Amino acid sequence: MTIKLHHLKPAEGAKTDKKRVARGDRGKGGKTAGRGTKGTGARGNVPAGFEGGQMPLIRRQPKRPGFNNPNKIEYAVINVARLEEAFEAGDEVTVATLTAKGLVKKKRPVKVLGHGELSKALTVDVDALTGTAREKITAAGGTVRD
């Protein structure tokens, strides 16, 4: 005998009728309909974000927007144009010389940016450089130490 589609039926106990609750006090599921007595769960919808009385996540977060990265490096920046004004050809540009000339005030790592033009050959030894700053320094005949 071959099994046909109309011969198939679910396993015993797999299909059960839906439990009808809150339909009178004679059967199971009457009166409070399985919700217990009083409290938010018995009365209606639980508010979005309600965490059982503990301070909700939305109120535990800081009020200001954004993310404060503790590992972010804050650079004191200086442009190539400022190096052109402050240094002579052949000078060495370091964090110490920049601080001595008053070009960098804060005690932070120094980063050279590529804004402006450079015509002097300088030896630059700082914490970081942008790609355009590196190109302009080497194009002017200078060197960059890492």
Side-chain angles (χ1 to χ4, degrees), residues 3-34:
I3 295 178
K4 297 194 174 155
L5 206 57
H6 65 275
H7 291 148
L8 297 175
K9 62 179 187 176
E12 193 67 37
K15 300 282 267 179
T16 55
D17 293 335
K18 184 180 174 192
K19 187 176 180 183
R20 293 181 73 234
V21 295
R23 293 294 179 272
D25 61 352
R26 292 293 174 245
K28 289 193 172 180
K31 195 180 168 223
T32 55

Side-chain angles (χ1 to χ4, degrees), residues 13-79:
K15 300 282 267 179
T16 55
D17 293 335
K18 184 180 174 192
K19 187 176 180 183
R20 293 181 73 234
V21 295
R23 293 294 179 272
D25 61 352
R26 292 293 174 245
K28 289 193 172 180
K31 195 180 168 223
T32 55
R35 287 173 166 259
T37 55
K38 300 187 181 176
T40 315
R43 293 198 171 94
N45 297 334
V46 178
F50 183 70
E51 298 182 16
Q54 91 175 9
M55 187 62 68
L57 179 69
I58 194 72
R59 291 186 59 200
R60 288 193 304 251
Q61 298 303 313
K63 287 183 175 65
R64 297 207 161 244
F67 172 73
N68 189 12
N69 186 356
N71 301 322
K72 182 181 177 184
I73 300 171
E74 291 276 344
Y75 287 104
V77 294
I78 185 164
N79 281 306

Side-chain angles (χ1 to χ4, degrees), residues 33-142:
R35 287 173 166 259
T37 55
K38 300 187 181 176
T40 315
R43 293 198 171 94
N45 297 334
V46 178
F50 183 70
E51 298 182 16
Q54 91 175 9
M55 187 62 68
L57 179 69
I58 194 72
R59 291 186 59 200
R60 288 193 304 251
Q61 298 303 313
K63 287 183 175 65
R64 297 207 161 244
F67 172 73
N68 189 12
N69 186 356
N71 301 322
K72 182 181 177 184
I73 300 171
E74 291 276 344
Y75 287 104
V77 294
I78 185 164
N79 281 306
V80 171
R82 293 291 302 273
L83 299 181
E84 173 77 24
E85 296 167 6
F87 291 94
E88 298 299 321
D91 283 356
E92 186 170 344
V93 180
T94 62
V95 177
T97 56
L98 289 168
T99 310
K101 288 187 183 253
L103 297 171
V104 176
K105 290 189 172 76
K106 298 187 177 178
K107 293 182 180 178
R108 291 182 180 171
V110 176
K111 185 172 191 173
V112 178
L113 308 180
H115 187 264
E117 295 301 321
L118 184 67
S119 60
K120 302 171 186 170
L122 300 172
T123 304
V124 180
D125 185 13
V126 292
D127 299 300
L129 290 102
T130 61
T132 53
R134 187 181 298 269
E135 289 170 15
K136 288 181 180 182
I137 292 166
T138 52

